[in-house]
Structures are given as C-alpha cells and as structure tokens.
Amino acid sequence: MNDVLEVQSAISNQQSTIKKGRILTGDRPTGPLHLGHYVGTLANRVKLQDTYEVFLLAADYHALTRAVDKEHVSATVGNTRQLVLDYLSVGIDPEKTTIYVQSDVPSVCELHLLFSMLTTVPRLERVPTLKEIMDSEHIEQPSYGLLGYPVLQAADILHVRANLVPVGKDQASHVEVTREIARRFNFQYDCEVFPEPEALIGDVPTLVGTDNKAKMSKSLGNAILLSDDEATVRQKVMNMYTDPTRIRADIPGNPDGNPVFQYHDAFNPNVAEVEDLKSRYRAGKVGDVEVKKKLNSALQNFLAPIRERRAHYEAQPQLIDEILEAGRAKVTPISEETVRLAREAMGLRRKA
Ligand code: TRP
C-alpha cells in the first residue's frame, strides 16, 4: 500500500470508529415529502449523518401493504426516484448516508420470516397504525402482509443492527415492536445479535396543515411540498388558515394554535422578528397579510438551497441509479451477515 492510501485508510478507519452507532430509517415511496416530514424527521436525518453511520431506505415492499394492483406497483417505481430526489435535495449526502431500495436487498425477507415467529397476532392487532390505515384506506380485512407491516419494519431496522431510528411520531409504535422482537430473539436464543433500537422524533413532532387540521398530509391537500415552486408556496401561504375570530387587523388575535405562527416558529430563523409579530398580533397591531408575507419569505429562504440541490440531481438522472446501486452493494453484505448470525444463534441448518 502506498503512503497516501495508507493515510486515507487510517483516516477512514478512524472515522468509522468515532461514529456513535448506526441509524436505519426510511419512507414508503408513495408521494412527495412535505414540510411536516422535514421537521418530523428529515432534519434529524441530515443532522446525524456526520456522527452516525446512516442507512436510508425506500420501503417499496411496505408500499404494497395498501394496494397491489399493477398501476400502484409501477407508480411505486417512479415514486422511489422522487423520494430519493427529496432526500438528496434536503441535504442527505450520499457520501455519508447509504440510500437503498428495500426490495433490492431480499435478505431482509428472510429476517422478516424468522421474526414473524416471534410476534403474536394479537400484539400486531394492537398496533395503532393498523386501525388507522384500515380506516383511511377503507380496508375491511387486513392482509397478512399489512398485519405484519411492523415486523417487516423490524427486519429493516435490525438487518443492519441499527441503534437509532429517526422517524415521524406515527412510527413510534413500530419501533416499539422492533425493540420487543430484538429482546425476544436475544432472550430466546441466548445471544446478543440484535441491539434494542431507540426511536428519535423531530423537534416539531407534528406540523399542522395549512388548513389547521391536525396534521400536514398530501392526501388532505394541506401540505407545502419540499418540491413546490416559489409561486405555489406563496399561494399556499397566502391562503393559510389563521385565527378566524380576527376579521380585521386591529382586532387582537391569538398566535397560539395558529398554523401561521407554528410555521414561523419552525422555519423562520429570525426569532426577534417572530416575537415582534406575535406581540403585535396579540395587540391587534399587525395584519395577517404582513405575517403571511414574512412567513413566505422565511419559507422561500428555507427552500432555496433545497431547490438548488434538486435541480442539480434532476439534471443528472443517472446519478440516482448509481447512488441506489452503491447503496445496495453496501447494505447487502451487512444484511447477509446479520441473517447468518441469526441463523447461527438459532441453530438453523447452515446454507450450503
Ligand atoms: N413505515 C415507515 C413509514 O411509513 C417506513 C419504513 C419502512 C421505515 N421501514 C422502515 C421507517 C424502517 C424506519 C425504519 O414512514
């Protein structure tokens, strides 16, 4: 080995040893991500990629739990690319974070099967998201796959033996199932193959919608997308819900529970400006238009670098394929090693 290579490898060894642990997280490729995803989890993912070894997956198998028709499946393929674009545009760095597609790493399915023996049906029936999904998607009877959704998620997290899972608040119950499975496996087979990973929820666990409905969601039509252009964002901000009792600018208003101010708090770095707007709002000394215009400026500033990175990657579509292939190549041996350790711990016959 020449000197330069030696130094480089020493540095990269050092870097990998100073990492605090492993992260695995991801999303179903079902549509564009929005500001709620950003504050709920993406910000954490970007921040932690320097200190953790991060794996990020597009959960295309999970997308099949809702619908299985061919159109849905082929939409998932396009949505996967859009999801990766969203990741890259918010500043996920493919040099630091391993991005891959779930179905590109099939060894996770073996772990899913092994884990499915360690969880009971009533336990999975009690996971709150099951009922939520069934209600929102009008599903009368869950498929075996939908019931097992959190078990597959546990396999995702544990096939890289991750310690930390930055997710939105709605996913906390799935991380809990993951912890139970890890514990159960280690106990059952008297081993320490799996860590018990922790969920990490963002600073603003739930961002309200532009219409003040409890949650920002694309399907409710109350979301500002990370991919929205300037005019769309402006229009969405100017149409936002505000304190309905305030029909004139000189009537005192309430910034609490007001989505415009929640967004200011989350996205406007100028704290003094936000405090000034709030006190003038309470005193009936500022109009909604001014508050919204300032929010629009803050959001456009926040989105500017995101748009710039998106344009960079959109101009080179082959980069996404390369990133996903590199991700697959990086995760596969780790996943296979985990499956080997699990089989060994269980005393299953080794594959020839
Ligand atoms: N269930 C997650 C969601 O809908 C997506 C997901 C799949 C995931 N596998 C995961 C998240 C593993 C974290 C870790 O958002």
Side-chain angles (χ1 to χ4, degrees), residues 19 30 104 155 160 189 199 205 216 244 246 249 283 302 346:
K19 297 262 163 154
T30 49
D104 282 352
V160 302
Y189 302 109
M216 182 176 277
R246 204 163 170 264
F302 166 77
M346 295 172 73

Side-chain angles (χ1 to χ4, degrees), residues 24-28 57 59 62 102 149 153 156-157 165 167 171 174:
L24 183 131
T25 184
D27 300 273
R28 276 177 301 118
L57 92 164
H62 276 114
Q102 190 180 33
Y149 187 112
Q153 187 160 344
D156 287 331
I157 296 167
V165 190
V167 275
Q171 297 294 311
H174 299 172

Side-chain angles (χ1 to χ4, degrees), residues 106-341:
S107 42
V108 75
C109 301
E110 186 172 351
L111 204 57
H112 170 237
L113 179 122
L114 298 176
F115 286 171
S116 71
M117 315 299 171
L118 302 179
T119 321
T120 67
V121 171
R123 173 66 184 94
L124 294 173
E125 282 171 342
R126 279 200 310 275
V127 174
T129 49
L130 176 66
K131 195 171 174 311
E132 284 159 25
I133 295 168
M134 287 172 62
D135 287 348
S136 70
E137 311 281 321
H138 311 290
I139 297 172
E140 272 183 36
Q141 294 294 340
S143 69
Y144 177 52
L146 179 59
L147 184 69
Y149 187 112
V151 184
L152 179 57
Q153 187 160 344
D156 287 331
I157 296 167
L158 295 175
H159 81 139
V160 302
R161 282 163 279 153
N163 324 89
L164 193 65
V165 190
V167 275
K169 199 172 146 212
D170 60 319
Q171 297 294 311
S173 63
H174 299 172
V175 180
E176 196 47 48
V177 172
T178 305
R179 293 169 59 83
E180 287 171 23
I181 290 177
R183 216 178 299 142
R184 178 84 203 274
F185 187 99
N186 291 344
F187 177 75
Q188 185 78 42
Y189 302 109
D190 195 16
C191 64
E192 282 179 26
V193 173
F194 296 110
E196 262 183 59
E198 308 265 352
L200 179 73
I201 316 289
D203 290 343
V204 184
T206 314
L207 194 71
V208 295
T210 52
D211 56 359
N212 203 35
K213 293 243 171 72
K215 190 178 172 183
M216 182 176 277
S217 142
K218 191 182 159 250
S219 54
L220 295 175
N222 64 7
I224 296 178
L225 306 180
L226 295 167
S227 48
D228 277 341
D229 63 22
E230 232 180 291
T232 309
V233 171
R234 188 179 319 110
Q235 192 204 359
K236 287 180 177 175
V237 170
M238 297 318 283
N239 288 335
M240 270 180 80
Y241 174 102
T242 49
D243 186 343
T245 59
R246 204 163 170 264
I247 41 177
R248 282 200 327 263
D250 59 356
I251 298 175
N254 187 3
D256 304 325
N258 185 326
V260 179
F261 283 100
Q262 193 197 15
Y263 292 15
H264 263 297
D265 284 334
F267 296 100
N268 189 344
N270 187 345
V271 179
E273 176 176 276
V274 177
E275 287 315 310
D276 169 61
L277 287 174
K278 282 183 185 169
S279 67
R280 286 197 286 137
Y281 200 79
R282 280 196 194 93
K285 292 213 157 68
V286 65
D288 281 347
V289 172
E290 182 182 342
V291 182
K292 286 179 172 176
K293 277 193 170 155
K294 293 208 159 111
L295 174 62
N296 178 55
S297 309
L299 285 178
Q300 304 289 0
N301 287 340
F302 166 77
L303 289 168
I306 295 180
R307 290 182 181 133
E308 215 170 287
R309 281 188 292 258
R310 181 183 301 276
H312 166 79
Y313 285 104
E314 269 174 343
Q316 305 167 79
Q318 82 291 353
L319 270 184
I320 304 233
D321 298 304
E322 286 168 25
I323 288 167
L324 292 178
E325 173 47 28
R328 187 202 61 76
K330 175 107 190 273
V331 184
T332 298
I334 299 172
S335 175
E336 287 175 352
E337 161 85 352
T338 305
V339 172
R340 188 181 62 74
L341 291 172

